[in-house]
Amino acid sequence: MGRSVQDSAFSGISRRTVLKAGAAAAAFAAVPVAAPSILRAQTPAAVKIGILQPVTGALAHDGDLGRLGAEMAINEINAAGGIKSLGGAKIEMLFGDARSTPEAGTQEVERMQAEGVSAIVGGFASPICLAASQAAARYDLPYLVDVGVSDQIMTRGLANTFRFSPGFGKVTQVALDNLTAINDRAGKPAKTVVLVHEDGLFGSGLAKLLQAELPKRGFEILETIAHPTPARDMSNVALRIRSLNPDLVIPSNYYGEFVLLARTMQQQRIKPKGVYAILGGAASNGRFVKEFPQAAQNVIDCNHWHDPKNPKALALRKAVEGQGKSFAYNVSLNYSNLLLLADAIERAGSTDRKKIIEALNASTFAGHIMPYGPTKFVNGQNEGATPINTQIQGEDIKVIFPDAFAEAKANFPAA
Amino acid sequence: MTARDLIPIAVLTILAALLPLVVTSSPVLNFLVFMLIVALGAQGWNILGGFGGQFSFGHAAFFGTGAYVTAILQLRYGVNAWAGLVLATGAGAVVGWSIGYLSFRSGLRGSYFALVTLAFAEVFRILANAASFTGGAAGLLIKLDVSPANLQFADRAVFYWLVLALVAAVLLLTRWIQRSRFGAQLVAVRENEDAAKALGVDSLAVKLRAIALSGAVTALSGCLYAQYFLYIDANIAYGSWISVELLLAPIIGGVGTVFGPVVGALTLHGLGEVAKQFAGRIPGIDLIVFGGVLVLAVAFARGGILGLLERLRDRGRGMVARGTKEVSHAGR
Amino acid sequence: MYSPQIILEAALNGLMTGAVYALIALGLTLIYGVLHIINFAHGALLTCAMFGVWIAWAWLGMDPYLVILPLVPLMFALGYGLQRFVIGPASHGDDGNILLVTLGLSIVLENVLLALFQSDTRTLDTDYSFQVVALGPLLLSYPRVIGLGVAVVVTGLLWLVLNRTDTGKAIRAVAKEKLGANLVGIDVPHVYAVTFGMGCACLAVAAGLLMPTFYVNPRIGGAFVLVAFTVVVLGGMGSLPGALLGGLFIGVVESLCGLFLGDSLGQIGIFLIFIAVLLVRPTGLFGAKA
């Protein structure tokens, strides 16, 4: 079972390498178009793009949302006439289930390669991204990491691997800068901090960076508390927070644990001046807000988030929510990645892998829905990528920082 | 060992070795490599569980040790990957012997032994996830540097041949165990430990040898996993998934037989690939089929696939025998 | 480093969490005591029960505690059916087979739930979910106090069933001497299935007690199963009072280890105890009869 990020006693079996071809939304019918006056005998061959997401195992929920984002972008591109420089070639999605494990991700990359994809987008979890991008590198196959935040992904010098979204280092840096700015603006009410993190790659990595950086910015870390995923109980964590009475709690964990923590803190009547999540599993999740509005109130998150002032983002949000799904950040990220890739193929005017990689390296694409500005890849990493701050206010998640994107003022310290 | 023991192993190995010359499809090769790595680990399990009758639920402890030892040696101490392979195998033997010493000396058998191995694997997993020299939760990334000297090959077929050679070597080892005095003692301990002791078999020593060998072979497979995927973390290396997988393969294939683990691994992973055709968009459907087949296999194929085949063969022979009134069982 | 109040509170929290562990372990130990098998589907069955509670709450608006009443017979029936028609016939009475069949079952159950509910994490909310009982300066979680009480009552009830009813006598007879029980006319497969059903019924109670404060997803059962194994071994395989005391003890150990070592490393405390008990005194700390 999906052990890449978490492993439970005997669920180990669901990780077995099985892959499945998702019914491609953009199933392309190659009907010859009779256009006698134009020299075009038939519609151009579809451009195959591999979408790799973990839709079974531990990360299935996230993978499902990632696939949704990719699908919506592909539908949109095709509806708008496909890749024009290739004579209006449609994009055909080749879906692969990464099963939440690195070896299943690798196997899918091999299959996609065999079926002739031009590029691969996705991976979600860092271990999957690490293994899959490496397998793709054997074939110079362009690989766009959708979410995987581990900095190791981009430091291996793989020419085929690109990351449009920010990595750990960047997220932490921005999270700290923004925290300092928000705190300064409020008259520096927060001085002491307790870190609560899950003990996997994501939580531990973040905690390490924070431990090094927070003291430099005048915050005192009272304690760092690690917990496993899944955690059966958060009362101990809450107890320790209560006894330490910090100004600020900085959690980094997944949905279930964060909800448990927030509710337990509410129960234990722990009211710090602020809860400042970094890449918080629930803190930017619409369902958390809807189901536990009281526990969720005023939680701040520094996370991947779409630009709320972008009309395209708002339209996408409406469409996604219309399907009864939550508009999570990996929907926007996969959506943007597909647009970015389509733009690169458009400019490359070819499905040649080397040319696509060149086009990606030269990309200045700005038609995405993230608050990143024009794209600029340096060694595969998008330099403009940055997380932004949101806060749960009332029944909505509002962007509160930086000001250029803010929809509301930060409620800090929380009343 | 006689020529009769060696020929089937040699023939099958040569046939399997010729495969990459016929099948050039990368997905197939990649599938086979991973399958063989699992088969190798399962062979390790089979030495202790199949021949010795000591069902371990925690072979991840050995698999993970192999993976971590080679990764740490290469990353922290600049040891060559081939040397890492040898040392990792040795480390597996040491860990196996130690766990065996603790548990067998306390007289743990059956369910108790299964549970204690499970717990050891979990302790290793938690420690590897927390300690800094194992890379903690971030895991370890072996440097991508394709060169035969680094045990990294540009062609997947080479890695396939390497794993295949090791699987064949363990097939020979298992065949030797089966034929040796040590093997006979091991089986005696499995069938009736008290009786074996009464006959003068030092059951503790026999079981310790078995678990050390078992640990070594499984560590070797863990080491190959790390070398093939170049990334490990605590949940990959010490996760319960691998314990379950290493135990299922021999049981499905034929527990306590020479070819059982390989047949089982091939069946399980092949089944997985077939089941994916049924999967569609609903998550988990394939695994439901898989779990169901497992239950059915146990219900109707006792002794695993090899056991089933043998029964079918015997039945066929029985019919022939009845038909011709020939009762000679020469050659059996 | 911590004030005595915090330590006391952590210990009490642990005690109450342990009560739920005890309930899960009760089912496991009962099944082990009679059938002599390790039921690997226990975690998946717990997940089924938890989804049962969630469905009744989400679709029918039932209170999670009330759901326990109909869920107990339902889970009993599920357990009875599984043992009678799947595990029993499929395993031919061989221990290794039973292990595999229950493993196969857990894979099937877990993935049926995955197919039905996706891997989404679900929670439910009640008025009392996060209420506290103030005990002087201590704030105790209301649902957990109830959990502790119910666990003790259920253990008592089970003990009564086993010791004061004919079915209980038959179960104990089968546990002690299967062959003899068979000879005096006890329907052994029926008794096995009843035992398995009772083990599953315990899970229904545990699920009802967990859900007001916990969450459920198709993989969640695994989080409890290893702890339940530890409890069973600690209490002595097959011993009901052992399971209760073992559960409470493990809960406290986990909580205190978590407090001092952090929740991640705190888990090690449990496994080290587990290993130590197995190595030193495999019959369990509470001197259970096999």
Side-chain angles (χ1 to χ4, degrees), chain A residues 1-2 6-11 13-14 55-62 64 199 223 225-228 230-237 239-240 242-243 255-257 259-260 263-264 266-269 287 291-292, chain C residues 2 5-6 9-10 13 17 21 40 103 107 110-111 114 119-125 129-132 139 141-142 144 212-215 219-220 222-227 229 254-255 258-259 262-264 267 270:
Chain A
M1 326 114 66
Q6 46 186 194
D7 187 42
S8 59
F10 292 97
S11 41
I13 209 66
S14 57
V55 294
T56 46
L59 307 168
H61 184 59
D62 298 295
D64 201 48
D199 63 4
E223 197 161 349
I225 308 172
H227 65 78
R232 288 180 293 267
D233 185 18
M234 281 287 172
S235 359
N236 269 321
V237 176
L239 270 178
R240 286 158 87 184
R242 206 177 71 197
S243 79
Y255 185 82
E257 283 70 29
V259 172
L260 206 57
R263 293 176 82 193
T264 312
Q266 184 199 350
Q267 172 191 48
Q268 299 272 333
R269 295 167 198 168
R287 211 176 71 220
E291 290 176 3
F292 306 105
Chain C
Y2 291 107
Q5 187 200 327
I6 294 272
E9 212 164 342
N13 265 328
T17 314
Y21 295 167
F40 272 98
L103 191 64
I107 297 169
E110 194 176 288
N111 288 288
L114 182 68
S119 65
D120 230 358
T121 293
R122 286 155 213 270
T123 41
L124 56 75
D125 201 13
S129 274
F130 284 87
Q131 268 185 18
V132 284
L139 299 177
S141 159
Y142 175 78
R144 284 165 183 245
T213 55
F214 206 64
Y215 57 85
R219 301 159 33 83
I220 201 65
F224 292 91
V225 140
L226 276 181
V227 180
F229 280 142
E254 181 188 50
S255 187
L259 191 65
D263 278 285
S264 290
Q267 299 286 313
I270 298 182

Side-chain angles (χ1 to χ4, degrees), chain A residues 164 303-317 327-329 331-333 335-336 366-374 384 386-390 397-407:
Chain A
F164 173 66
N303 208 334
H304 310 291
W305 199 253
H306 62 273
D307 173 2
K309 297 186 171 164
N310 184 326
K312 231 164 145 182
L314 300 179
L316 181 69
R317 177 176 184 168
F327 187 51
Y329 62 80
V331 179
S332 348
L333 275 179
Y335 176 84
S336 298
H368 53 78
I369 59 169
M370 304 305 287
Y372 299 168
T386 176
I388 55 178
N389 285 79
T390 57
I397 300 171
K398 294 264 171 63
V399 174
I400 53 158
F401 199 87
D403 295 336
F405 303 105
E407 301 165 276

Side-chain angles (χ1 to χ4, degrees), chain A residues 107, chain B residues 16 19-20 23 25-39 159-160 163-164 167 228 266 269:
Chain A
Q107 178 68 18
Chain B
L19 212 62
V23 185
S25 152
S26 252
V28 174
L29 268 186
N30 183 58
F31 163 81
L32 287 174
V33 170
F34 182 56
M35 188 278 291
L36 282 178
I37 290 175
V38 172
F159 206 95
Y160 169 80
V163 186
L164 181 68
V167 168
Y228 190 66
L266 185 60
H269 286 259

Side-chain angles (χ1 to χ4, degrees), chain C residues 94-178:
Chain C
D94 177 276
D95 284 3
N97 286 344
I98 294 175
L99 174 105
L100 283 177
V101 172
T102 53
L103 191 64
L105 270 181
S106 72
I107 297 169
V108 172
L109 288 174
E110 194 176 288
N111 288 288
V112 165
L113 292 171
L114 182 68
L116 291 177
F117 299 100
Q118 316 291 324
S119 65
D120 230 358
T121 293
R122 286 155 213 270
T123 41
L124 56 75
D125 201 13
T126 60
D127 298 337
Y128 51 81
S129 274
F130 284 87
Q131 268 185 18
V132 284
V133 179
L135 195 76
L138 308 178
L139 299 177
L140 301 182
S141 159
Y142 175 78
R144 284 165 183 245
V145 174
I146 292 193
L148 178 62
V150 172
V152 174
V153 170
V154 168
T155 314
L157 279 177
L158 259 182
W159 190 85
L160 280 178
V161 168
L162 285 180
N163 287 281
R164 295 277 181 273
T165 64
D166 287 344
T167 314
K169 282 177 191 150
I171 290 176
R172 284 187 301 141
V174 171
K176 269 225 172 72
E177 184 50 65
K178 185 172 108 183

Side-chain angles (χ1 to χ4, degrees), chain A residues 1 3-10 12-20 22-23 55-56 64 67 71 99 102-103 106-107 110-111 114 127 130-131 134-135 138-139 152 156 158 199-201 204, chain B residues 26-28 30-31 34 57 118 125 129 137-139 141 144 153-156 225 229-231 233 235-236 239-241 244-245 248 268-269 272-273 275-276 279-284 286-287 290:
Chain A
M1 326 114 66
R3 61 175 201 289
S4 60
V5 164
Q6 46 186 194
D7 187 42
S8 59
F10 292 97
I13 209 66
S14 57
R15 50 146 301 285
R16 193 164 307 287
T17 317
V18 172
L19 19 93
K20 53 186 170 192
V55 294
T56 46
D64 201 48
R67 171 168 63 187
E71 258 174 9
R99 295 238 126 194
E103 65 273 6
T106 304
Q107 178 68 18
E110 291 289 349
R111 185 181 64 91
L130 281 167
Q134 198 160 286
R138 288 172 166 270
Y139 309 108
Q152 291 180 323
R156 293 168 300 169
L158 297 182
D199 63 4
L201 168 76
S204 301
Chain B
S26 252
V28 174
N30 183 58
F31 163 81
F34 182 56
F57 277 27
L118 181 72
R125 187 182 67 77
N129 197 48
L141 199 63
L144 179 69
F153 307 102
D155 189 353
R156 292 218 189 275
Y225 179 98
F229 291 101
L230 300 178
Y231 173 75
D233 66 21
N235 288 331
I236 292 171
S240 58
W241 72 280
V244 171
E245 199 146 319
L248 282 184
L268 281 173
H269 286 259
E273 291 294 306
K276 81 186 172 192
R281 277 194 76 148
I282 305 169
D286 46 349
L287 291 168
F290 177 79

